[in-house]
Amino acid sequence: MITATETIQTALAAVVGDSAVSADPAACRAYSVDGIEPKLVVAPDSAEQVAEVLKCAAARGLGVIPVRNGTKLGIGNPPRRYDLALSLKSLNRVWHYEPADLTVTVEPGMKLGDFQHFLARDGLWLPLDPRGGARASIGGTLAANAAGPLSARYGAPRDMVLGMKIATADGKIIKAGGRVVKNVAGYDLGKLLIGSFGTLGVIVEASFKLYPRPEARATFVLSLESLEAARHLRRAIFGSPLDPLRIALLDRAAGQMVVGAGLEPAPANSAPFEFWLEAGGSERVLARYSRELEERAKEAGARMENREGAESAWDRIADFAWLVAESLPDSVILRASLPLDSSEEFLTRALIDAKVRASVSQPGTGVVSLVLPAEGTRDVAAASEVAKLRDLAEALAGALVVEHCRPELKPQLDAWGLPPQAGRPGSDFEMMRKMKATWDPNGILSPGRFVGGI
């Protein structure tokens, strides 16, 4: 007797070929989301095949989640249904590359690390340091609008995209924007799609503006005794001619993880906080940074050191949530997005009001990541802690997202909180809801995973 799954598998194989569809339990388990496994994994190798797969799924009411390496699959609410894992691993080509014009067009399945290696031969890069680091895919980075400390200098992924192609649930491929820097047509459409976590359509191609790689880099670490000192240092730097590549503020526990010491206790004589700053430019520019920061350190009563070989540490800072989720899987990881001048106040109050095990802040963007300990994160207590911290973030004109927690805890927390109200930051939600109804009327794309259950 032929099962429903076998019938669907046959229909999909007619689109992508037998070898690109799998019902193997191990393959499906690799793309599980909050403990829910898909029935099939399908791996198209062209934009047209992606569109046909979506059309086939929509006709049968199958829930579809686009996937690649899974570095961000844990973000969001549990899916209402999940039948197909749409693997974009075979869409990993560079279509157009104009180094002289600083533009490139690439498919979503390419890993960021491979992409950066490709660009490096011409002294270029895409200055992104998202969760997942080199393992992150281009598509996943755009779907999550994932950005790390580099975004303070260069902006988030949506600021770098010139144009995209998107496959929709009705089997169409839609273009937004273009491939040259001056072309901004369709920007609003692209802005809505980037950061929508695969709920509106599947990005099958993206064009980016590129940047020259810094001639050289140096990392400076200042040890601070208080968050007030961190606030003064941040304001002093932003009020100066200095224009760092990225900055981060780590507490003791996070500092240990970032330098590779894992969960080992920090030395007793270590400072409560470390202010990390990376500068880029010529040796002359880096020497000026060293002199300027030495002066700032003296004013703040801080100790400064030039940290050699810090690239791996910056990778861990950007990938902090994944690092903690791997080593402390029962922990609750929160990410607050706040106005710049509110980040230190939020962290100060959070450290008083909640049991925070570790924290990493991005003083240049207002993002604060908190780790609540595994012990004591029983359902009621964890939900109360998250609600308290979410209220605090919203009172400071910010928002708070649950980036990681145990799957059984998610229904009680809501990863996103309530949808933004009209007129407030993030109030594109109503437009996204209407677009979802138009492009995906059957709700097959990442069903229920994003804000407001869309």
Side-chain angles (χ1 to χ4, degrees), residues 168-231:
T168 62
D170 58 0
K172 295 178 181 177
I173 295 178
I174 295 174
K175 293 183 180 180
R179 197 170 65 241
V180 294
V181 175
K182 64 182 179 181
N183 189 340
V184 294
Y187 169 75
D188 287 342
L189 177 60
K191 181 181 176 183
L192 288 174
L193 283 157
I194 297 170
S196 63
F197 281 81
T199 58
L200 303 178
V202 178
I203 298 168
V204 291
E205 187 179 288
S207 296
F208 293 95
K209 59 181 177 182
L210 303 173
Y211 296 80
R213 281 179 174 267
E215 181 181 333
R217 299 193 218 180
T219 292
F220 306 93
V221 179
L222 289 79
S223 300
L224 303 176
E225 294 297 326
S226 69
L227 287 171
E228 188 59 29
R231 186 201 304 271

Side-chain angles (χ1 to χ4, degrees), residues 11 32-33 57 70 78 112 130 156 181 256 283 289 308 323 334 338 358 369 376 395 403:
S32 66
V33 176
L112 185 59
V181 175
Q256 287 292 96
E283 293 299 332
Y289 268 92
E308 299 291 337
L323 186 68
L334 309 176
L338 303 144
S369 295
E403 282 212 312

Side-chain angles (χ1 to χ4, degrees), residues 1 19 167 243:
M1 180 179 178
S19 63
D243 189 15

Side-chain angles (χ1 to χ4, degrees), residues 135-154:
R135 308 182 314 282
S137 68
I138 296 294
T141 299
L142 292 176
N145 195 33
L150 280 171
S151 60
R153 169 78 172 266
Y154 295 99

Side-chain angles (χ1 to χ4, degrees), residues 29 43 129 138 157 177 194 199 208 212 265 292 307 312 317 333 335 352 387-388 392 419 432-434 437 439 449:
R29 194 176 308 117
D129 51 353
I138 296 294
I194 297 170
T199 58
F208 293 95
E292 290 269 354
R307 192 69 60 90
S312 61
I317 290 172
I333 305 172
R335 179 183 174 96
I352 295 171
K388 183 165 51 177
L392 173 57
M432 292 180 67
R433 189 187 63 77
K434 292 177 180 178
W439 283 10
R449 300 210 71 214

Side-chain angles (χ1 to χ4, degrees), residues 5 40-41 55 107 109 120 155 175 356 365 369 400 421 443 445 450 453:
T5 298
L40 295 168
V41 178
K55 185 177 180 179
E107 290 184 322
K175 293 183 180 180
V356 177
T365 63
S369 295
L400 184 140
Q421 298 299 311
L445 284 168
F450 197 43

Side-chain angles (χ1 to χ4, degrees), residues 45-52 91 93 107 165 167 173 204:
D45 70 356
S46 70
E48 292 73 22
Q49 286 189 2
V50 171
E52 282 300 312
L91 276 75
R93 292 155 289 216
E107 290 184 322
K165 288 183 180 179
I173 295 178
V204 291

Side-chain angles (χ1 to χ4, degrees), residues 28-45:
C28 293
R29 194 176 308 117
Y31 292 118
S32 66
V33 176
D34 294 327
I36 303 171
E37 297 177 9
K39 298 178 178 66
L40 295 168
V41 178
V42 57
D45 70 356

